[in-house]
Amino acid sequence: MSAGLPGDSAVGEAVRPAGSGDRRAGPWGVAAVGFVVVLGVALRVHSPSALWLDEAISVNISGLPLREVPAALRRDGAPPLYALVLWGWERVVGTSTTEVRWLSSLLGVAALPAAALAGARLAGRSGAVAALLLLAASPFAAYYSTEARMYSLVILLVLCGFLALDGYLRRPGAVRGVLVGLTTAALALTHYWSLFLLAVVGGGLLASAWQARSRPPARAVGWMAAGGVLFLPWLPSFLYQVAHTGTPWGAPAGFTAVLSTVVVWAGGGSRPSTLVLTAVLLLLAGLGAAAVSASGSRVELDLRGRPPGRALALAVGATLALALAVGRFTGAAFDARYTSVVLPLFLLVAAVGVARLPRAIGTPVLAVAVVSGTASAVPDVYVEHKTQAAAVADALRAQALPGDVVVYCPDQLGPATSRLLPGSLRQEVYPTGGSPERVDWVDYAQRNVGADPEAYGRDLSARAGGSAVWLVFHTHYRTYEGQCEALAGTLTALRGDPLPLVEPDGRYFESAHLVGWAPLRAPGP
């Protein structure tokens, strides 16, 4: 969706410089576009990594009986739409790692034609091609299309929301209004950061209605509010989550996170391809928001911004600023994957920037963006693994015997590894001793602060008795400072020196130690 500003809904406005034309691409151009799209689809359909924490939690919640899913989500802190869609998907397609990720792959592929249609609305054929290619080669979009989480759904819904709102502002009507309301509700029920975008869009539409004395933007807000009625059944769970779950695993970010977010969108890290794509995207977004005309080596800018890119750029910037400000006030953590709610709008601004340029300049710049994006996306998807859980599980399957106890410290290491182990092992999490399949985020920090690793270790060793104890742990998790080390020390004092099997590997986003203690010896005569 885009914030409404006077004139910005006239997305049919020609954005190419006079005389540049919007000619059809030749056969080689069509072939090049097709190749990039095919490559973009290929980047979205497979990842060699095991499910990491968040994915495993999603799959485990969706594996519950339908009546139990809302209660599990209430303690998890997530909204319900993706979990419910995944619930149905698992029962039709399957629950293997590949099968559950295919849902996100399908949604990620579906976003490509939606981006092309949105780009066409904004800048004609040139905008359509640019939006399609920028999203197809986006490292961020490709990565989250291979993850069993809601982010590819968010990207698709934002594009659909933009199309629905633009269609309503062009030709107001009940059917288009209903589409605006449905996409509003779907976004709010998919990821809570969508609420920041919806607030910005609603505010922009009301400002536009007041300034231009125009009714359609105000009526669009009414349809958005009507769609919000569908959120009301979930409202009690949302308020409970706000009060009790939160994000105890991380800290809020400063406003410099806006710039670092663009780096993450470009693939993250310091690879040359990432740095090139970051620079190109910022350049194109600046042109899309403010360029008036371009010819030869000359570009004329209007610092007040120019439609249609101005409204999109304001929506992106205001949403990020609002989200970061609320995070600083409430202490909520920031993670770049949350910004999937504005990534498609940012790419649309960049697509407008491509269309602002003469073809002789815009085509090479777009080609640089596509090549550098693909160069970052390929290692992100096919080389870098999300979790070390598979290596830990392999070591346990080779060494552990039926009846052995596996304990996870913190509990956040449990969901990814436990699903890969046989049911003959007894598995639990520190400090609650509960099941490792999910994480109970309710009052999480307070619970962990009050934990006693020494007492837990003594009880664990006694309960394990003549079975070995295996500890999957890491020392760098918030709210567990020193506790996993203390637990390991207690087990060592009771059972002797441990056998180290796996050390944390920095190549993984989620890594862990694995150590084991031999069974207690039976007392002699």
Side-chain angles (χ1 to χ4, degrees):
M1 295 184 172
S2 61
L5 292 176
D8 284 13
S9 61
V11 295
E13 170 190 355
V15 294
R16 276 202 177 277
S20 68
D22 198 12
R23 300 182 299 273
R24 292 183 180 274
W28 288 108
V30 173
V33 171
F35 175 78
V36 174
V37 171
V38 170
L39 182 57
V41 171
L43 288 170
R44 286 161 168 78
V45 297
H46 176 68
S47 173
S49 175
L51 301 181
W52 75 287
L53 167 66
D54 284 5
E55 292 181 283
I57 290 176
S58 290
V59 172
N60 290 339
I61 289 177
S62 296
L64 295 170
L66 184 59
R67 64 181 180 278
E68 298 179 17
V69 170
L73 288 170
R74 180 181 174 95
R75 305 189 74 83
D76 176 66
L81 183 58
Y82 174 77
L84 295 176
V85 174
L86 184 60
W87 184 92
W89 179 270
E90 289 182 6
R91 279 144 188 84
V92 174
V93 178
T95 59
S96 73
T97 297
T98 300
E99 289 167 341
V100 296
R101 283 178 172 159
W102 277 345
L103 173 59
S104 294
S105 299
L106 178 63
L107 296 169
V109 171
L112 298 178
L117 183 55
R121 294 273 187 93
L122 290 164
R125 187 178 298 110
S126 301
V129 172
L132 173 64
L133 296 185
L134 288 173
L135 184 60
S138 166
F140 185 96
Y143 183 87
Y144 286 107
S145 294
T146 65
E147 187 164 289
R149 291 290 283 171
M150 71 284 291
Y151 303 109
S152 62
L153 176 57
V154 169
I155 290 172
L156 175 60
L157 286 174
V158 169
L159 290 169
C160 291
F162 168 82
L163 292 170
L165 180 57
D166 176 71
Y168 180 83
L169 294 177
R170 286 166 173 266
R171 294 177 59 190
V175 173
R176 294 179 179 84
V178 169
L179 291 177
V180 170
L182 289 177
T183 53
T184 296
L187 276 168
L189 291 168
T190 300
H191 198 282
Y192 291 138
W193 263 49
S194 299
L195 298 176
F196 300 125
L197 174 62
L198 295 171
V200 167
V201 170
L205 288 169
L206 291 176
S208 175
W210 177 80
Q211 187 173 351
R213 300 296 189 268
S214 174
R215 292 183 178 180
R219 288 174 176 169
V221 176
W223 283 110
M224 291 173 64
V229 172
L230 298 177
F231 187 83
L232 292 179
W234 186 251
L235 183 61
S237 293
F238 170 68
L239 296 176
Y240 179 85
Q241 290 168 336
V242 169
H244 295 283
T245 56
T247 53
W249 45 263
F255 290 98
T256 56
V258 173
L259 181 58
S260 64
T261 291
V262 181
V263 177
V264 174
W265 288 343
S270 57
R271 286 186 296 246
S273 58
T274 296
L275 301 179
V276 170
L277 183 57
T278 300
V280 172
L281 287 178
L282 289 172
L283 171 65
L284 290 175
L287 292 173
V292 177
S293 63
S295 59
S297 60
R298 182 187 181 93
V299 177
E300 181 182 349
L301 301 177
D302 184 345
L303 295 182
R304 296 171 299 178
R306 296 282 292 185
R310 171 177 58 187
L312 292 170
L314 285 174
V316 172
T319 298
L320 290 175
L322 177 60
L324 291 170
V326 171
R328 295 292 292 182
F329 178 75
T330 62
F334 168 82
D335 195 286
R337 59 183 179 268
Y338 299 165
T339 63
S340 57
V341 74
V342 291
L343 168 73
L345 302 184
F346 180 84
L347 294 181
L348 289 177
V349 179
V352 173
V354 173
R356 295 276 189 197
L357 294 171
R359 185 178 299 279
I361 298 176
T363 299
V365 171
L366 180 59
V368 170
V370 168
V371 171
S372 56
T374 303
S376 290
V378 169
D380 280 354
V381 171
Y382 288 111
V383 178
E384 296 186 6
H385 288 241
K386 305 172 191 288
T387 178
Q388 203 173 352
V392 172
D394 287 344
L396 280 168
R397 284 195 298 266
Q399 294 287 338
L401 298 176
D404 283 356
V405 179
V406 181
V407 62
Y408 300 92
C409 182
D411 51 1
Q412 296 173 51
L413 294 173
T417 302
S418 63
R419 73 187 307 269
L420 305 176
L421 295 178
S424 59
L425 298 175
R426 293 181 285 168
Q427 301 184 67
E428 63 183 67
V429 297
Y430 172 85
T432 64
S435 169
E437 293 182 351
R438 302 189 298 275
V439 176
D440 185 354
W441 294 107
V442 172
D443 300 328
Y444 190 79
Q446 298 92 313
R447 180 177 70 232
N448 294 338
V449 167
D452 186 340
E454 288 81 8
Y456 187 94
R458 291 191 296 269
D459 178 68
L460 171 65
S461 182
R463 285 188 287 107
S467 299
V469 175
W470 304 92
L471 178 62
V472 182
F473 74 102
H474 205 292
T475 60
H476 296 156
Y477 281 74
R478 284 169 59 95
T479 74
Y480 281 88
E481 291 81 0
Q483 295 196 41
C484 298
E485 300 95 307
L487 174 58
T490 299
L491 291 171
T492 297
L494 294 170
R495 291 181 169 239
D497 291 335
L499 171 67
L501 289 182
V502 177
E503 291 294 324
D505 189 334
R507 295 176 299 172
Y508 294 91
F509 175 73
E510 180 182 73
S511 60
H513 298 266
L514 170 62
V515 297
W517 288 266
L520 288 175
R521 294 181 179 178

